[in-house]
């Protein structure tokens, strides 16, 4: 459905603190981050989910190959830009839910919980 809700249980009552709707491109980067949590999500996982709607081994291997080729040709930034754009929009929405996406240089991204 594309909706992520922040719920808390207080004094025998379930309360909705925040809720955000994510469009398909935002979901394509959020889903692998949630799947990999609490570990980081490598670039090739995000790429495979964003472009192939899959995180199956074959899609990840294909994404890894394409990203390595792009890096060799000096086209890494151009290839990864749409994913970064989707992540930027996703980050804004996640902040209201007490979450953030941290960049791990040359590795990928990490979903981080800001709520104690």
């Amino acid at each position: 459905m594309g909706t992520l809700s922040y719920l808390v249980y207080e004094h025998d009552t379930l309360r909705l603190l925040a809720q955000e709707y994510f469009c398909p491109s935002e979901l394509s980067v959020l889903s692998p981050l949630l799947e990999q949590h609490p570990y980081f999500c490598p670039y090739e996982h995000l790429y495979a989910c964003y472009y192939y709607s899959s995180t199956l081994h074959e899609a990840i291997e294909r994404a890894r190959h394409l990203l390595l080729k792009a890096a060799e040709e000096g086209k890494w930034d151009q290839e990864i830009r749409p994913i970064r754009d989707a992540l930027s929009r996703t980050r804004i929405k996640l902040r209201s839910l007490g979450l953030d996406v941290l960049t791990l240089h040359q590795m990928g991204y990490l979903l981080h919980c800001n709520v104690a």
Side-chain angles (χ1 to χ4, degrees):
M1 299 267 298
T3 303
L4 189 61
S5 302
Y6 179 21
L7 303 167
V8 293
Y9 190 72
E10 295 177 339
H11 312 292
D12 296 333
T13 304
L14 191 61
R15 287 189 25 210
L16 176 66
L17 293 185
Q19 191 171 51
E20 289 290 344
Y21 171 77
F22 296 87
C23 71
S25 65
E26 295 163 350
L27 272 178
S28 70
V29 294
L30 179 58
S31 294
L33 288 167
L34 290 168
E35 289 170 10
Q36 295 291 317
H37 184 73
Y39 306 104
F40 82 97
C41 184
Y43 286 113
E44 56 264 25
H45 282 241
L46 286 166
Y47 192 97
C49 196
Y50 187 84
Y51 285 107
Y52 310 132
S53 301
S54 173
T55 53
L56 295 176
H57 179 73
E58 295 81 14
I60 292 169
E61 284 300 315
R62 185 172 167 197
R64 183 177 294 124
H65 172 74
L66 287 170
L67 289 172
L68 286 172
K69 184 178 177 184
E72 289 170 1
E73 296 173 356
K75 297 180 180 178
W76 171 266
D77 287 333
Q78 179 182 347
E79 194 67 32
I80 209 79
R81 184 174 295 126
I83 294 170
R84 285 186 178 147
D85 291 345
L87 274 169
S88 178
R89 293 188 308 273
T90 303
R91 273 185 173 119
I92 293 166
K93 294 178 180 182
L94 287 174
R95 287 190 185 119
S96 73
L97 300 167
L99 300 170
D100 198 3
V101 179
L102 306 177
T103 303
L104 303 175
H105 185 66
Q106 296 184 349
M107 293 176 64
Y109 296 92
L110 176 69
L111 186 64
H112 176 72
C113 181
N114 296 324
V115 179

